């Protein structure tokens, strides 16, 4: 149904992108300024962090997409433009620079920043970098994906092709993590483009529904960032009949969006700060969807369990413990736990009690770089999946001296 | 008002204790079985973990102290007696062994276990060790404190003397941590004795009120254990007029109890798994007590902030971020943050914005082994304190291979 294609955010019709080094970051080989522009007005939707401490760019973006439309996204890395003086004015200046260099109205610009909190963001390097940034606009999703990276070790982008009402549609995305990740209605920075024709209302509905089972089920360290922003732009250039109700076209679009966001969640978790392993917890048999989500997220958020996975230790007691304090309604005597990876499948707990297993085989299963933890609550028909990573020395190292 | 004295749980009149190695743990120099007995019936009160996965000993203890009285505490380390077959029967057998060797009714025994989850606890070593354990009962609080240690690096005991109604009273305690610590109505294992004369009802009331601002404000890793048990026994042998209402004697007892529990919380945090630093977050100026507690606990629970403290990095943006997602009602524009230690005092944030400071001086302040993070919300009159520790390579190392 969905075909992977190249191009990232530039794969859908009507979008160009670029990323450059403008000088916010001292390291000249690290890009720090990204721009995505649409050839025509787009339906736009956003979700933001629920942290009460919000980055200044979020306040500006909220105003700019109030009418449901936007045409550009400008993002810098290296400075979060948060908890500093004049941050909102700087964010507005970034939008005005886009207007000056592209002709797109400043009020049609989504603006985001990521990096250190509490330091003044200077507009000079951004102003100086705009000519190169705009001059290079084209099929450069990768440059944009690179320019929004902070402690990410790999760029994250994806694009899919699918058909709605006989029309070929595309959806593409870039995003960045990878610390301070426990999104609440959004992940750190995720930007999705599509050429699907859809109303702003249905686009926002699709986005708000999606995050509950995608980015909100992701945790690297339990810290909800101040700058989380997940924006989506829909150009409508695919030419499908406009989606303006919850019809089958809408469902198909939601499925495509979910394919993209869950793939990005897996990338984000796998590249979690210091991580050596992607952890995916699949909970089934829950009494309801909320309990399934609570249980899955609790397991992948447990520092104890994350440390055990780093050590390839099949300490399933940590899983039971995390389920027990998750807040989910469950019956311990019914719980089953198994580990699955490219290395094999290992059942470790049945009816809430331990099973005999070979420690040697357990090491083989847990030595893989993607581990699935399968939890059966055997108490209902609902399921959920959450993504996380192991906790390692390097997480501590990276964050012991983040600012320098 | 309170004088520190020697003797731990044996300092109050009417209590004897001991700890031995009986063979649950393979390492023969590590004690693994502890016993505290009272010469006479004691008023007894307990709080337990809120984890739905509960250790089998908790179920037995709950029944045994239902009537408000108890006379002994038996505890083993090395095995949590949780999520295994026949755990409740084993816990009952432990109580019957106490009856057999001391004459104290099995129904007057508080039983607790700590260690690995999901493995069968054999009664044999315990049965074999009872003679030595009971034979050595005396002023041996230290041996008992040692026998309940798991990954603790230091034993934790304390005793205070104070006066109620002209009578000299004593209160003593032992406890253990130090991973899977985010108590919810109790810490992992904490046992308090006192010779204060107090009714079971008032004792339970004092205990339940105390934990809200003591052990429930402590977090090492955000994982709530399955076996948390905090028990208190009051022999009444101090001879004070029986406390059976919320009078001034009751208030004095509560204050003594709080002195003991907060001192133990600091010890537990400082000895958190892998920790090099005690972190104490004092929040003032909150709109209400609940907001103050949420804010303080959120800061000391943040992995990002804990990592920054390990690296002596004055990254106060992590503090603001944790306050923002704490759930507390607060106004970012009013927040002040300062760090205090034996190395000095450093104000880093005022009105929600960064202040200039010397990075060199910041390193001096943050290099101490006890750091106080002072947060002023400037929005009310309530305050709270929470305790935690830094996140280090050693936490990961300890928990990467806990079972072996």
């Amino acid at each position: 149904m969905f075909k992977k294609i190249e191009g990232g955010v530039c794969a859908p019709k009507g979008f160009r992108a670029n990323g450059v080094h403008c000088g916010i970051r001292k390291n000249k080989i690290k890009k720090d300024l990204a721009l995505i522009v649409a050839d025509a007005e787009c339906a736009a939707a956003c979700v933001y962090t629920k942290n009460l401490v919000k980055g200044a760019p979020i306040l500006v973006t909220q105003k700019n997409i109030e009418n449901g439309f936007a045409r550009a996204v400008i993002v810098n890395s290296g400075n979060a433009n948060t908890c500093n003086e004049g941050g909102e004015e700087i964010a507005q200046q970034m939008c005005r620079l886009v207007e000056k260099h592209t002709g797109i109205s400043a009020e049609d610009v989504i603006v985001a920043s990521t990096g250190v909190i509490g330091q003044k963001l200077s507009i000079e390097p951004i102003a100086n970098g705009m000519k190169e940034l705009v001059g290079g606009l084209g099929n450069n999703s990768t440059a944009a994906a690179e320019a929004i990276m902070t402690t990410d070790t790999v760029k994250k982008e994806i694009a899919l092709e699918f058909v709605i009402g006989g029309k070929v549609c595309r959806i593409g995305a870039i995003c960045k993590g990878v610390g301070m990740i426990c999104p609440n209605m959004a992940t750190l920075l995720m930007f999705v483009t599509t050429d699907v024709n859809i109303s702003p209302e249905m686009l926002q509905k699709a986005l708000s529904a999606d995050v509950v089972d995608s980015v909100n089920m992701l945790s690297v360290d339990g810290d909800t960032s101040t700058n989380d922003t997940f924006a989506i732009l829909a150009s409508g250039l695919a030419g499908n009949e406009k989606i303006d109700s919850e019809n089958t076209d809408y469902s198909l679009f939601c499925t495509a969006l979910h394919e993209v966001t869950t793939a990005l969640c897996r990338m984000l978790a796998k590249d979690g700060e210091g991580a050596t392993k992607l952890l995916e917890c699949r909970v089934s048999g829950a009494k309801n969807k909320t309990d399934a989500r609570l249980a899955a997220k609790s397991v992948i958020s447990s520092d104890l369990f994350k440390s055990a996975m780093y050590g390839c230790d099949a300490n399933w007691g940590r899983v039971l413990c995390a389920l027990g304090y998750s807040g989910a309604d469950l019956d311990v005597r019914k719980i089953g736990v198994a580990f699955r990876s490219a290395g094999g499948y290992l059942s470790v707990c049945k009816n809430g009690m331990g099973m005999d297993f070979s420690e040697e085989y357990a090491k083989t299963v847990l030595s893989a770089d993607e581990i699935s933890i399968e939890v059966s609550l055997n108490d209902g028909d609902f399921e959920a999946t959450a993504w996380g990573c192991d906790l390692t020395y390097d997480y501590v190292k990276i964050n012991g001296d983040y600012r320098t």
Side-chain angles (χ1 to χ4, degrees), chain A residues 85-106:
Chain A
E85 264 191 83
E88 209 171 325
E89 171 56 25
I90 295 288
Q92 279 163 346
Q93 283 180 33
M94 288 171 69
C95 298
R96 287 199 293 269
L97 282 170
V98 173
E99 176 170 321
K100 183 178 161 193
H101 289 266
T102 67
I104 292 170
S105 162

Side-chain angles (χ1 to χ4, degrees), chain A residues 301-342:
Chain A
S301 300
S302 158
D303 277 358
L304 281 169
F305 178 64
K306 286 150 59 97
S307 300
M309 287 299 97
Y310 173 58
C312 301
D313 181 6
N315 195 342
W316 58 270
R318 309 301 205 198
V319 177
L320 270 276
C321 178
L323 293 170
Y325 66 70
S326 66
D329 184 16
L330 47 82
D331 182 344
V332 184
R333 295 163 302 177
K334 295 181 180 175
I335 299 176
V337 179
F339 297 109
R340 188 190 293 277
S341 78

